[in-house]
Amino acid sequence: LYYYKSQLSSFRRRKRSNQRRNNQTKKIEEGRNVELIETNQILDEIYLDLYHLSTKSCTIFRVSVGLSESNPDAYKPMLVSIGPYHKKNLQLRLMENYKLRYLQRFLRRKDGLDVKTCITELGKLKDEALKCYDGIEDIYSDNNTGQFLKMLLVDGCFVVEFIRERCGRKPTEKDIIIPYSCIDGQVRRDLLLLENQLPFFVLTKLHNMTMDQINGGFGGWEGGEPPSRLDLIVPFIKLVKETFNSSFLKMSPTSFLKTEGDAKNIKHLLQLVHMSYHPLEKKTSLTPENPSLEMEYCRKSLCWNPLQMVRLKNMPNDKDHQTWDTNMPNATELREAGVTFSKIGKIYRRLEGYHNLGDNTSLFDIKFENGVMTIPCFEVFDYTETILRNLVAYEQQSSDVHPRYFSDFSIFMDYLIDSNKDVSLLRQKGIIKNEIGEDKRVASLFNKIGKGVAISYDFYYKEEYFMLVQHCKKPWNRMKASLRHNYFNSPWAGASTVGAVILLILTAIQTVLAFTGSVK
């Protein structure tokens, strides 16, 4: 009996032990299943994000922190919000009444045109327009697309009608909504911000909807006569150029008169303005097959690659393999080394039709030949930094923009200008017209604008860069620079040096005469 009891107890213990092992195994398997399910969910979310990323063609993006940290206000609207990024800014609500007035004018352009018709037409472009923006899913969800269409209509009509008004495509003078004043300049400035854009196909759609009666439809036409048929079919691209040709430094008349016929390749207003600025003669782009001049980032870039710098330093420093290990001298140092600065072109605030055709230079036509550096003259005014920064940001954050003229121009001017002395030199030569006050403000503008800007192998001014460095390395030029810096850096120092030389010569002559007299 004792034996059977012990066997039964042993059997029960084994049974309980097996049950515990089975329970543990079951828990482990359940845990593995849960982990597998969670892993699959994570993978599904990643694949879904990758799918949306591959199908999304973002063209209107926020400015990166590396570019904006030196002056964040340069990328924010002052008066009017266009698009979704700054829609919640309460300080910009004042312009909403102006937008509604422009919408009212837009609807009166054509008989039978109403809000419902416009919303229906814009609804066909909704999905494509949503893809142009980055990170607005929380603002405009699937259940809130009506607000997105309202934004496209109200903001789009404001942009289209404002541009028409600036170009004279408006009713009588009494119907001007925004007069030519400081508000006009602030609106132009805000319409060229990278984060303050609408897709260009939305603007052209609204423009084409009322193009048949672009100059009137109510209240008569300015001047009392109806427009010609040619005036009625003015492309929206040309109207944009007429509006913004006075908003920046120097647009080539050839570029101003050239009107691209295909608006499908234009992303937004800022890109169209960017396309309107290019050198008179385009240089041959440097290809990656020429590693001797390849440079991925400048010395002030926030995203530099240490391996790239090591590779560049290991290159042979000869005539065929020039490296970027020597910084270009500033304007004052170049003048001391014998470089002469000369301006080309004229300064004008606006191109009118066929005017100014005698001056066909652009902002980027900087050349250095035979010791003379020619730089197109330009004006620095209140909104120069803002517009230049946004054009640079557009280049830096677009993978399909080459060459990057504005980025390269900003970096080259940053090398050329280190202090107010450099600005004063260029101003005295007529190259820079300073409209913002002290020269140190212009120096600060160009010193800060290069921070975070990366330049690639096809740096547009690479030839001028190396020629200037080589010029300053020549012994005679270095000697001249040393003499000017140490002995002729001011009128008094120069007069003292000349007096000392004359005194030395007279002393030598006196010594010679005294010696010859004693011999006789």
Side-chain angles (χ1 to χ4, degrees), residues 249-268:
L249 306 172
K250 196 175 183 64
M251 180 187 293
S252 168
T254 303
S255 174
F256 170 69
L257 295 175
K258 181 181 178 182
T259 303
E260 293 80 359
D262 188 8
K264 296 181 180 179
N265 298 326
I266 301 176
K267 303 172 185 177
H268 41 70

Side-chain angles (χ1 to χ4, degrees), residues 487-488 491-505:
Y487 301 103
F488 296 93
W492 295 109
S496 300
T497 302
V498 172
V501 171
I502 294 175
L503 181 62
L504 180 63
I505 293 174

Side-chain angles (χ1 to χ4, degrees), residues 453-486:
V453 178
I455 53 178
S456 58
Y457 55 84
D458 55 352
F459 180 57
Y460 187 71
Y461 300 106
K462 61 185 180 297
E463 295 179 6
E464 286 76 16
Y465 182 101
F466 288 125
M467 290 172 65
L468 289 168
V469 171
Q470 292 300 321
H471 176 87
C472 294
K473 284 184 176 181
K474 293 180 180 179
W476 172 242
N477 293 328
R478 293 175 62 183
M479 186 182 301
K480 287 194 299 183
S482 178
L483 287 173
R484 289 188 179 185
H485 182 74
N486 296 322

